Amino acid sequence: MERTEINSLGEFGLIEYLTRNNETRNASTLVSIGDDAAVIDHFGRQTLITTDLLIEGIHFDLAYTPLKHLGYKSVVVNLSDIYAMNGTPTQIVISIAFSNRFSVEALDEFYEGVNAACDVYGVDLVGGDTSSSQKGFIINVTAIGEVAPDKFVTRKNAKPKDLICVSGELGGAFLGLTLLEREKAVYSQTGAQPDLEGMAVIVGRILKPEARKDIVQWFLENEVLPTSMIDVSDGLSSDLLHLCKQSGTGCLLYEDKLPFNEEAKQFAYKLKLDPTACALSGGEDYELLFTISQSDYEKIRTNNAISVIGYMTEAEEGKHIITHGGNKHELIAQGWNHGKSVI
Ligand code: ADP
Ligand code: MG
C-alpha cells in the first residue's frame, strides 16, 4: 500500500480527504462538515454542535499557561464556533485525559476555569468523560447551542460587493504567544523571571480569550443577519479564504482598515514584526469575521466594536489586499499550525 505523509495534505485537505465519502442520511442534518458548527433540526428547532481537541505540547504549554485559564479557554474556543453560526451556546460536555503528573488540585484548578466560563457565557456543563493518558493533558470540549429557525449563518452565502467586517482587534494573540515563548526561552537559558510589564493585553489575548457573544446579541437587537460568518481561529487570511472558497467569491482587503490594539502594534514593532502579517497569519484571536450586504452599512457603522475591512468581489477578480502604500498583493493563507502541529 502507498504511504502518503499527512503534512502533504494539510489540516483542511486531510479533513476533506477523510470525509470524502461521508453522506448525509438524515433530513434533520441541515449543515454538516465544513462550517464552524453543524446544524441539526429538532422538530423545527435548530441545534448547533461543535467540538475541539486541545493537546498539551501542541495547543498549549503548561510552562506558562495557568490551568484555570486553560479551563476557561477550552470552553471559550468552542463557544466561539457556536457564535460564529449566529447561535447561542446552551450546554457543553467535556472530556479529559491526564497522566499521573497531574494532582486532584491541578485538575480542580482547571475546572475552576471551566466553571467561570460557564458562568460568564450562561452555559451548562452536562457531561463528559475521564481517562488517564500515558503522557500529558488532553482536553475535548463539545458545545451545543441553539439558533432561531433559519437564522444560522454559514460560510457559504457571501455575495460580490458584500462588505467584509471583523469584530475587535487582530494579531494580539499571536504576539502574546510570541512574548510568552520568548520569555520561556530566556528563563530556560538564564533563570530570569519573565518580563511581562505593560503586556497585559496581548498576554490576556492568548491565555484568556473571550468569545464575541456581544456581537451576536447586537445582530439580534439590530436585525442584522450577516451573509456569511466564521470565527478567526487560524488567522485573518486563512479564515477569509474559507469564506471566499465556500461562497464562490473573491475579496479585496484594505491594510489601512485592519484593527489593531496599540500595545500589540508597539510590541510587533519592537520585535521587527509587521502587525499586518501578525493579523493575517497569526491565529487564536477568536474575533468574528463576517460579511453583510451593503444595505446594512448604516447599522454597522454605529458599532465601534466592528470594522469594515474590505469587500467581496467576483471570484475571477481573485483575493487581494491593498497595502498602506497602495500596492495590491495576493492574499495567501499562511496558516496557523498552533505552534507544534504536524498538519
Ligand atoms: P473550526 O476551526 O471552526 O473549529 P475546523 O477547521 O476544525 O473548524 O473544522 C472544519 C470542519 O471540519 C468542521 O465542520 C469540523 O466539524 C469538520 N471536521 C474537523 N475534523 C474532522 C474529522 N476528523 N472528521 C470529520 N469532520 C471533521
Ligand atoms: Mg471556527
Side-chain angles (χ1 to χ4, degrees):
M1 230 170 97
E2 243 179 83
R3 179 186 158 90
T4 309
E5 294 302 329
I6 287 173
N7 63 11
S8 69
L9 293 179
E11 178 184 351
F12 306 117
L14 177 69
I15 297 170
E16 269 179 35
Y17 184 73
L18 294 179
T19 58
R20 68 196 180 287
N21 298 323
N22 185 51
E23 286 171 35
T24 296
R25 298 179 181 81
N26 294 285
S28 54
T29 305
L30 300 185
V31 174
S32 179
I33 295 168
D35 226 297
D36 293 297
V39 184
I40 299 165
D41 186 283
H42 271 141
F43 312 105
R45 297 197 55 144
Q46 293 173 355
T47 301
L48 302 164
I49 182 155
T50 182
T51 193
D52 260 312
L53 190 57
L54 299 170
I55 309 282
E56 183 178 356
I58 303 286
H59 300 96
F60 58 89
D61 186 335
L62 289 176
Y64 51 72
T65 311
L67 279 160
K68 187 172 170 182
H69 286 43
L70 182 62
Y72 192 90
K73 179 170 175 174
S74 305
V75 176
V76 163
V77 299
N78 278 273
L79 304 186
S80 178
D81 279 320
I82 299 287
Y83 293 121
M85 301 299 289
N86 199 36
T88 305
T90 48
Q91 287 88 11
I92 56 166
V93 291
I94 175 158
S95 301
I96 53 173
F98 41 82
S99 66
N100 58 10
R101 201 176 102 228
F102 292 83
S103 64
V104 172
E105 289 74 19
L107 297 177
D108 198 41
E109 223 180 290
F110 175 81
Y111 266 78
E112 265 182 56
V114 169
N115 293 336
C118 288
D119 233 16
V120 168
Y121 291 93
V123 302
D124 303 323
L125 169 63
V126 295
D129 197 13
T130 303
S131 165
S132 50
S133 79
Q134 284 194 334
K135 204 166 155 267
F137 195 25
I138 299 168
I139 307 155
N140 173 233
V141 178
T142 298
I144 296 162
E146 56 189 31
V147 61
D150 301 322
K151 296 289 188 213
F152 60 85
V153 176
T154 67
R155 299 175 178 178
K156 278 195 173 141
N157 288 315
K159 302 280 177 296
K161 297 200 175 67
D162 281 357
L163 301 175
I164 303 170
C165 307
V166 71
S167 64
E169 294 160 337
L170 298 170
F174 170 78
L175 287 160
L177 180 63
T178 306
L179 172 63
L180 290 171
E181 287 281 346
R182 193 182 71 160
E183 293 302 319
K184 182 186 165 185
V186 170
Y187 177 77
S188 71
Q189 283 158 18
T190 68
Q193 284 304 311
D195 176 15
L196 305 178
E197 185 70 21
M199 301 291 182
V201 172
I202 59 172
V203 172
R205 292 289 283 176
I206 187 73
L207 293 184
K208 192 173 173 289
E210 300 290 352
R212 296 313 299 250
K213 176 182 182 172
D214 57 325
I215 300 289
V216 170
Q217 184 64 32
W218 187 88
F219 289 150
L220 183 70
E221 285 161 7
N222 292 274
E223 296 178 6
V224 172
L225 192 64
T227 50
S228 69
M229 182 151 62
I230 188 169
D231 63 329
V232 185
S233 55
D234 295 335
L236 179 65
S237 46
S238 169
D239 291 317
L240 179 56
L241 292 174
H242 282 308
L243 294 184
C244 290
K245 183 175 176 199
Q246 298 215 24
S247 294
T249 64
C251 67
L252 196 60
L253 270 189
Y254 290 89
E255 185 177 19
D256 281 345
K257 308 276 185 204
L258 299 182
F260 294 106
N261 170 269
E262 198 45 42
E263 178 189 306
K265 215 168 171 174
Q266 291 313 321
F267 182 63
Y269 291 144
K270 203 169 140 192
L271 295 186
K272 300 198 164 44
L273 290 172
D274 174 14
T276 301
C278 297
L280 291 175
S281 305
E284 302 216 57
D285 282 319
Y286 297 105
E287 294 297 342
L288 290 176
L289 174 69
F290 56 95
T291 53
I292 55 163
S293 74
Q294 291 201 9
S295 56
D296 280 329
Y297 176 66
E298 285 305 317
K299 287 185 185 168
I300 286 286
R301 223 163 58 102
T302 64
N303 189 329
N304 291 331
I306 297 174
S307 309
V308 177
I309 58 172
Y311 60 91
M312 292 306 217
T313 62
E314 298 290 344
E316 308 78 73
E317 292 171 61
K319 301 157 195 97
H320 296 100
I321 180 163
I322 307 276
T323 63
H324 293 309
N327 294 318
K328 196 170 179 176
H329 290 284
E330 195 179 337
L331 202 61
I332 44 167
Q334 240 124 40
W336 168 254
N337 279 333
H338 299 281
K340 289 139 193 149
S341 168
V342 294
I343 46 172

